[in-house]
Amino acid sequence: MADLAKPQNTIAILQKYNFSFQKKFGQNFLIDSRVLDKIVAAAGITKEDFVLEIGPGIGTMTQYLCESAREVTAVEIDKHLIPILADTLSEYHNVEVIQEDILKMDIKGLAEAKNHGNPIKVVANLPYYITTPIIMELFESQVPIDSITIMVQKEVADRMQVGPGTKDYGALSLAVQYYAKPEIVANVPPNCFMPRPKVGSAVIRLTRHQKVPVQVKCEKFLFQIIRASFNQRRKTLVNGLYNSPEITVEKEQVVKALEQMGLSSNIRGEALTLEQFASLSNLLL
Ligand code: SAM
């Protein structure tokens, strides 16, 4: 099968099937073999691995994954891509394509069926509109995950990786870092895609922690506190928590907890580390 990372081969297959790009599905197909090699290498895929690919498109990355993995399941929402995938992946016998919205799938059930419930590797060139929901779903729904290696908007990759005191730091940084170790492995310019996106992209690997880095009495409450602290970025943490409809705390309680932690009552959420958010949530529960 022709290497779809060559632009002329991608164009040929799109013309053969008279395919029209659907903006609503964030369709920007990779046409750079070096980027594809980097993604597969960063994910550390071996012949032992079961890989879930989200959004295979015309199967460009899927071909690379099939070469390296034991078994691949690729979940694609766009029904017009299914006959194309049957064609471009016809030589591989270790792949199953499922037409479904990944956000509606039972991924835990899939990991159970395909990998006996052992940790799976997720690889995706993600449509930007589902980046945050799918990452949170993968971490929160107890899917056994080894790592998630994904192409996302550069700005989103930065948000996942940064620590306190920067403008990109927020609820996404804390949620990702609670569950995993984030590492940006490549920056990818728009000319590596067809059609070209308006913004730069980056590949980020999220390696799931064996053990969460902080101990909390209740995870749900920790994330409620984090969300409330960043909902009103320009307010102090005390006011942000007090005004949140999600939690019920008195201002004095928050001031007292901050005092116990040696922090000022004027502090903003963006200055707190994950460890400090964990201590605060434990003190307020
Ligand atoms: N992996 C291909 C590549 O790298 O060339 C395509 C990447 S393209 C950025 C994103 C793909 O995800 C598209 O094929 C799109 O149709 C698919 N997609 C979008 N939303 C989806 C969803 N909710 N569930 C599954 N696939 C989705």
Side-chain angles (χ1 to χ4, degrees):
M1 169 49 64
D3 180 4
L4 295 164
K6 293 205 169 73
Q8 66 270 30
N9 293 336
T10 282
I11 292 170
I13 203 91
L14 295 174
Q15 283 176 347
K16 178 175 170 190
Y17 287 90
N18 203 9
F19 179 77
S20 356
F21 288 98
Q22 297 234 40
K23 229 180 168 168
K24 67 171 177 193
F25 293 143
Q27 293 174 337
N28 301 92
F29 300 155
L30 265 167
I31 45 162
D32 189 307
S33 57
R34 283 163 311 175
V35 174
L36 287 153
D37 284 333
K38 263 191 198 166
I39 295 174
V40 174
I45 295 166
T46 71
K47 279 287 167 197
E48 311 274 290
D49 289 322
F50 167 75
V51 176
L52 166 65
E53 185 190 7
I54 303 168
I58 58 171
T60 317
M61 187 152 74
T62 326
Q63 292 181 337
Y64 281 66
L65 296 172
C66 289
E67 295 284 347
S68 316
R70 185 192 84 229
E71 202 181 343
V72 179
T73 292
V75 178
E76 173 56 61
I77 197 170
D78 185 354
K79 68 174 189 299
H80 299 105
L81 287 166
I82 304 304
I84 303 184
L85 287 162
D87 184 350
T88 60
L89 301 175
S90 61
E91 282 173 22
Y92 297 101
H93 303 291
N94 58 344
V95 60
E96 183 184 0
V97 174
I98 300 175
Q99 194 222 323
E100 180 62 277
D101 178 348
I102 191 68
L103 296 172
K104 295 192 181 139
M105 265 198 66
D106 171 14
I107 305 175
K108 198 173 171 205
L110 182 78
E112 193 56 58
K114 297 279 190 178
N115 212 32
H116 310 294
N118 292 317
I120 64 168
K121 290 185 173 162
V122 178
V123 179
N125 169 12
L126 277 187
Y128 298 143
Y129 78 103
I130 61 166
T131 307
T132 305
I134 188 62
I135 290 175
M136 295 324 297
E137 166 73 18
L138 285 169
F139 284 140
E140 282 172 359
S141 66
Q142 315 290 315
V143 177
I145 296 283
D146 174 280
S147 64
I148 307 176
T149 306
I150 38 167
M151 175 91 68
V152 297
Q153 225 169 306
K154 170 79 178 94
E155 185 201 315
V156 177
D158 289 340
R159 262 194 268 153
M160 291 185 206
Q161 219 192 11
V162 293
T166 52
K167 74 167 177 27
D168 288 333
Y169 185 60
L172 182 64
S173 330
L174 284 153
V176 163
Q177 291 165 31
Y178 177 77
Y179 290 108
K181 178 170 146 225
E183 287 162 283
I184 294 180
V185 292
N187 286 316
V188 186
N191 62 5
C192 294
F193 300 90
M194 185 184 295
R196 293 181 183 192
K198 289 200 179 67
V199 293
S201 307
V203 179
I204 189 164
R205 179 181 56 220
L206 311 175
T207 310
R208 188 162 189 146
H209 296 307
Q210 301 278 357
K211 193 169 157 275
V212 286
V214 292
Q215 295 305 317
V216 284
K217 289 182 197 157
C218 173
E219 264 180 27
K220 192 172 162 212
F221 188 61
L222 169 69
F223 287 111
Q224 284 174 337
I225 297 268
I226 289 173
R227 272 196 301 274
S229 308
F230 287 97
N231 263 349
Q232 299 175 300
R233 276 193 98 100
R234 289 165 58 203
K235 291 225 157 76
T236 61
L237 181 64
V238 173
N239 283 330
L241 296 190
Y242 178 68
N243 293 333
S244 164
E246 251 191 315
I247 45 182
T248 318
V249 280
E250 293 305 324
K251 282 190 186 185
E252 298 71 47
Q253 262 180 290
V254 185
V255 172
K256 196 167 156 231
L258 288 174
E259 219 168 69
Q260 273 177 270
M261 294 166 58
L263 297 174
S264 147
S265 57
N266 293 326
I267 201 159
R268 288 170 198 230
E270 65 209 30
L272 265 64
T273 62
L274 176 60
E275 290 70 20
Q276 288 170 323
F277 272 113
S279 307
L280 181 64
S281 82
N282 286 339
L283 287 169
L284 291 177
L285 198 65

